[in-house]
Amino acid sequence: MTPLDVLKHYWGYEEFRELQADIIDSVLRGNDTLGLLPTGGGKSITFQVPAMLLPGITLVVTPLISLMKDQVDNLADRGIRAVYFHSGLSRRERELGLTRCRLGKAKLAYISPERLQNENFLAELKAIDVSLLVVDEAHCISQWGYDFRPSYLKIATLREIIGSDIPVLALTASATPEVTADIMERLHFRAPNIFSKSFSRQNLSYVVRYGDFKDAMLLKILRATAGCAIVYVRSRKRTRDIATYLCNEGISAAYYHAGLDPEEKDERQNRWKNDEVRVMVATNAFGMGIDKPDVRLVVHYDLPSSLEEYYQEAGRAGRDGREAYAVVLAAPHDKATLTRRISESFPEKDFIRHVYELAGNFLNVAVGEGYSHVYEFNFTLFCSTYKLPPVPTQSALTLLTRAGYIEYVEETTTRSRLMVIMRKDELYNLSLDPVTEEVFQHILRSYTGLFADYVYINEVSIARTLTLSSEAVYQSLLYLMRLHAIHYVPRRTTPYIIFTTSRELPKHLIFPLEVYERQLERLKNRIEAMKNFVFATDTCRVATMLRYFGESTVDDCGKCDICRSHRVKSRPHTTSLSESILYIASQPGGHEADYITRQLSSFQREDVIDEIRRLASAGRLAINGTHISTAAD
């Protein structure tokens, strides 16, 4: 079979997207390959198709633990066998997955980076026939990347274990030139080999709206545009508050953040995907791996800390190639907010040492102990116990991870799952009480594949169907496990910490220049680049972004709000003032009067204000508070 045959057979597509075929051909020739594909560019196809053509297994290192199960399920729906490994699995689940890999019963294995810290797991990989190593979100391996993860550095060791002749495919959606060079160096590329698609998105219009009243601006924009939308914020509480506000204003909305139960996440995500909800108000936990092509609008209510983050999130709009908008809502205080993130992300070193000491005490790990152990870590309880400020404490744990003392894995919710481990003929001899019998029979009728693999279950749904309490279902499952009829892994939601070295005394902690001072400087540069993108009003926004990502030949996009305002300014004076005002006000969400007068600086301010009033009186403009839009909007 050819790659195109595989694509048609398993995915039903008639052709590859731009660069996909080139990357696949490079991989199949055995070359180390770096693919820079923008969000929505179809990264997964570039390793899933080769996986079906290569004789052994394809290892995929990815930090997106929450998406592993979804990826494996999606592949199973296409008739492709895959497994996954992360620290949240039980020993039985890990052993089952490894057995399948050894016996050639799987074509892909997804691995979380922290599993590479486990020497026993690495030893197990030696017995597996590996044909391709894939590094997803490859910017995480670069000290210059915005999301550096020390556990990724073990991938170089992994190459030695599986064989240095096995090709590696590194993939990322956004990376500067220095990051791409660092990725290839750290992954020991045998030769530089980059396939890069332009970061330009021709169908996407980037727009910034300025004002103090973001709720009103958001409402105006949503009413002026059609189609489904994502609104990104940086606070879990704000997701709920804004979704409630929009619903009260008659706009269908839901909220999403990492703290929701898996069932709630699935339910809300599915309602949005099925267009039962128009707007999803979310933290950056929403979007990774979501392939909804018809998103018409992405709004950033709060500003991200870097253009890399912004580009990935904004890029979730318009994946179907049709016209879409990426809108930033910017208030004057946002500059100070961005600047404050620098000190929050890099607290004083003594504070970091203090957090390390308290974490060891909290987990009851003695000095000199803890190496390679995994500890559940209730972050909220930790902060409240020691009266620590949450944001800098989170940053301290991240910096301790980067320095190599711990591996802090933020909140991960694992769904309940079970597998029937008793033989079918033995099940007939079980003597169960009526409630347990009812629960077990319902599970056997409702879920498939229970005898071959772990299957996700929903205790709340089971309880509702059987008119039992969730506690009764839970106790029945525990009883079945004690009888060795099933192996049951209850749901849990908690971050965890792996001590990658034995616990040290705080005074012995060292933070290398690369981990603290240089990363601090890079964050400052990213913050300044973000400020420049949002608050500069003299350069095309797309050109600003593309230059940041290292594209040398850049033309103005002609579609962002700055390019459009330049077209208005460049019009000859024969263009009437009223036409110019109406043109600016017709853009999504309208504008404040101050913005319109600044864009029409060739006219007298008083004349612009008088004309706005006249057009409003004539019913051609609508004024809502401080916002002005065309009456048609």
Side-chain angles (χ1 to χ4, degrees):
M1 293 180 74
T2 67
L4 191 57
D5 291 333
V6 171
L7 184 74
K8 291 177 181 178
H9 179 75
Y10 290 101
W11 283 270
Y13 299 142
E14 291 299 319
E15 60 183 16
F16 289 105
R17 296 184 190 177
E18 183 182 354
L19 284 189
Q20 284 182 332
D22 296 325
I23 293 173
I24 290 169
D25 288 343
S26 176
V27 167
L28 292 176
R29 288 196 302 269
N31 298 326
D32 293 337
T33 307
L34 173 58
L36 295 173
L37 292 175
T39 300
K43 289 187 295 176
S44 59
I45 289 289
T46 63
F47 61 82
Q48 289 170 351
V49 168
M52 300 309 297
L53 293 167
L54 294 168
I57 201 165
T58 293
L59 296 182
V60 185
V61 181
T62 173
L64 306 176
I65 297 173
S66 60
L67 294 180
M68 285 185 181
K69 175 62 176 172
D70 292 337
Q71 293 256 344
V72 170
D73 286 346
N74 289 336
L75 288 168
D77 290 342
R78 302 181 188 282
I80 300 172
R81 292 184 176 182
V83 296
Y84 58 94
F85 301 96
H86 59 76
S87 294
L89 297 181
S90 66
R91 175 183 293 179
R92 186 186 294 270
E93 287 174 299
R94 288 196 300 272
E95 290 175 350
L96 181 61
L98 286 167
T99 299
R100 287 181 172 160
C101 291
R102 283 194 297 268
L103 297 177
K105 301 283 188 184
K107 292 301 295 180
L108 295 103
Y110 290 81
I111 305 172
S112 64
E114 84 276 356
R115 291 305 302 160
L116 303 179
Q117 306 275 20
N118 187 298
E119 297 299 331
N120 292 332
F121 181 77
L122 291 176
E124 292 277 6
L125 291 180
K126 292 180 180 179
I128 296 173
D129 178 23
V130 178
S131 292
L132 174 64
L133 173 62
V134 179
V135 184
D136 197 14
E137 306 297 331
H139 60 272
C140 294
I141 201 172
S142 173
Q143 289 274 15
W144 296 333
Y146 71 94
D147 193 20
F148 171 67
R149 304 192 182 199
S151 53
Y152 260 59
L153 298 178
K154 294 288 276 185
I155 298 174
T157 303
L158 182 58
R159 288 204 76 175
E160 297 172 7
I161 292 172
I162 64 175
S164 57
D165 58 327
I166 301 299
V168 61
L169 170 60
L171 296 165
T172 185
S174 57
T176 60
E178 62 180 357
V179 170
T180 59
D182 199 34
I183 290 171
M184 290 186 289
E185 180 181 346
R186 291 185 181 276
L187 289 176
H188 300 169
F189 267 45
R190 289 165 289 188
N193 187 24
I194 303 175
F195 292 89
S196 177
K197 185 177 178 181
S198 173
F199 289 93
S200 177
R201 293 278 304 278
Q202 298 299 322
N203 65 312
L204 193 56
S205 297
Y206 294 91
V207 179
V208 178
R209 292 287 177 262
Y210 303 103
D212 289 309
F213 305 103
K214 291 189 178 184
D215 286 356
M217 286 195 292
L218 175 61
L219 188 62
K220 177 63 71 175
I221 290 168
L222 288 169
R223 286 176 173 167
T225 54
C228 70
I230 306 173
V231 178
Y232 280 111
V233 299
R234 291 180 64 88
S235 158
R236 292 183 181 182
K237 180 179 182 299
R238 194 169 289 152
T239 63
R240 183 174 59 252
D241 292 346
I242 293 176
T244 301
Y245 166 73
L246 293 176
C247 288
N248 291 339
E249 293 292 336
I251 292 178
S252 172
Y255 65 91
Y256 186 106
H257 57 70
L260 296 175
D261 289 337
E263 293 80 14
E264 288 182 290
K265 289 180 181 177
D266 289 344
E267 185 265 340
R268 294 178 191 194
Q269 184 172 306
N270 288 334
R271 288 179 63 208
W272 180 77
K273 278 186 172 181
N274 296 329
D275 296 321
E276 297 170 25
V277 169
R278 181 191 170 197
V279 181
M280 185 65 77
V281 186
T283 62
N284 60 6
F286 182 77
M288 295 292 253
I290 292 175
D291 189 18
K292 184 170 172 58
D294 60 343
V295 178
R296 302 269 66 82
L297 174 69
V298 171
V299 179
H300 276 82
Y301 189 100
D302 296 324
L303 302 188
S305 297
S306 71
L307 278 173
E308 289 97 331
E309 295 171 75
Y310 174 72
Y311 178 82
Q312 290 201 21
E313 291 165 6
R316 288 168 190 139
R319 291 186 179 183
D320 56 4
R322 294 174 51 210
E323 192 71 22
Y325 293 93
V327 181
V328 172
L329 305 182
H333 63 78
D334 283 331
K335 282 187 178 181
T337 301
L338 281 174
T339 301
R340 188 168 62 250
R341 284 186 202 157
I342 297 172
S343 58
E344 290 175 343
S345 299
F346 286 86
E348 295 294 328
K349 292 179 181 179
D350 283 344
F351 177 80
I352 302 171
R353 293 186 177 98
H354 185 54
V355 168
Y356 177 81
E357 181 179 27
L358 294 178
N361 296 343
F362 183 72
L363 297 172
N364 200 27
V365 178
V367 173
E369 301 294 330
Y371 173 66
S372 200
H373 282 71
V374 180
Y375 299 89
E376 289 190 6
F377 185 72
N378 188 324
F379 178 79
T380 302
L381 180 61
F382 175 64
C383 290
S384 63
T385 299
Y386 297 108
K387 296 181 173 54
L388 295 168
V391 174
T393 300
Q394 188 102 358
S395 298
L397 292 169
T398 299
L399 288 164
L400 286 164
T401 298
R402 290 179 174 177
Y405 292 105
I406 63 171
E407 178 82 14
Y408 172 58
V409 181
E410 295 186 39
E411 188 170 308
T412 300
T413 302
T414 58
R415 290 178 286 180
S416 300
R417 53 204 186 273
L418 66 81
M419 179 180 179
V420 178
I421 57 177
M422 186 174 281
R423 295 200 317 268
K424 290 183 180 180
D425 59 313
E426 294 177 320
L427 294 177
Y428 294 109
N429 299 322
L430 282 177
S431 178
L432 304 174
D433 63 82
V435 172
T436 304
E437 176 75 25
E438 187 179 17
V439 169
F440 196 26
Q441 289 299 323
H442 175 78
I443 289 172
L444 291 173
R445 289 194 306 269
S446 305
Y447 297 93
T448 59
L450 289 162
F451 290 88
D453 202 351
Y454 285 85
V455 174
Y456 284 93
I457 64 167
N458 185 337
E459 295 94 326
V460 175
S461 175
I462 295 169
R464 189 182 300 122
T465 301
L466 300 178
T467 62
L468 297 170
S469 68
S470 295
E471 180 63 21
V473 173
Y474 175 68
Q475 292 299 331
S476 295
L477 294 172
L478 290 181
Y479 180 64
L480 287 165
M481 190 161 71
R482 286 197 293 272
L483 294 177
H484 302 290
I486 65 172
H487 186 245
Y488 170 52
V489 184
R491 182 182 72 200
R492 64 179 184 180
T493 302
T494 181
Y496 52 91
I497 283 178
I498 305 168
F499 275 78
T500 48
T501 67
S502 300
R503 181 182 171 184
E504 304 268 6
L505 289 171
K507 65 181 180 180
H508 293 151
L509 299 187
I510 298 172
F511 301 99
L513 285 173
E514 196 58 61
V515 169
Y516 193 91
E517 282 81 6
R518 290 177 185 166
Q519 286 289 349
L520 172 59
E521 190 61 31
R522 287 168 191 140
L523 177 60
K524 289 178 180 177
N525 292 337
R526 291 190 186 99
I527 293 285
E528 284 305 311
M530 194 69 215
K531 286 182 184 176
N532 183 53
F533 175 80
V534 172
F535 293 102
T537 57
D538 57 349
T539 305
C540 167
R541 299 201 192 278
V542 173
T544 298
M545 186 186 301
L546 296 184
R547 290 191 184 101
Y548 177 81
F549 287 122
E551 295 192 23
S552 54
T553 305
V554 179
D555 296 323
D556 287 356
C557 72
K559 300 180 65 173
C560 70
D561 57 319
I562 291 178
C563 287
R564 291 181 178 184
S565 69
H566 286 171
R567 287 210 302 271
V568 171
K569 289 180 181 179
S570 64
R571 289 180 179 180
H573 274 75
T574 53
T575 301
S576 70
L577 175 57
S578 61
E579 287 179 11
S580 299
I581 293 172
L582 290 169
Y583 176 82
I584 297 173
S586 68
Q587 296 177 38
H591 276 295
E592 292 189 340
D594 283 346
Y595 180 85
I596 295 175
T597 56
R598 287 200 306 272
Q599 300 306 311
L600 299 176
S601 56
S602 57
F603 295 94
Q604 292 295 318
R605 176 182 172 82
E606 295 78 10
D607 293 340
V608 176
I609 297 297
D610 288 343
E611 187 62 17
I612 289 173
R613 289 173 179 156
R614 189 190 69 77
L615 290 169
S617 299
R620 300 184 69 188
L621 286 180
I623 301 178
N624 181 10
T626 60
H627 277 75
I628 300 166
S629 60
T630 52
D633 293 338

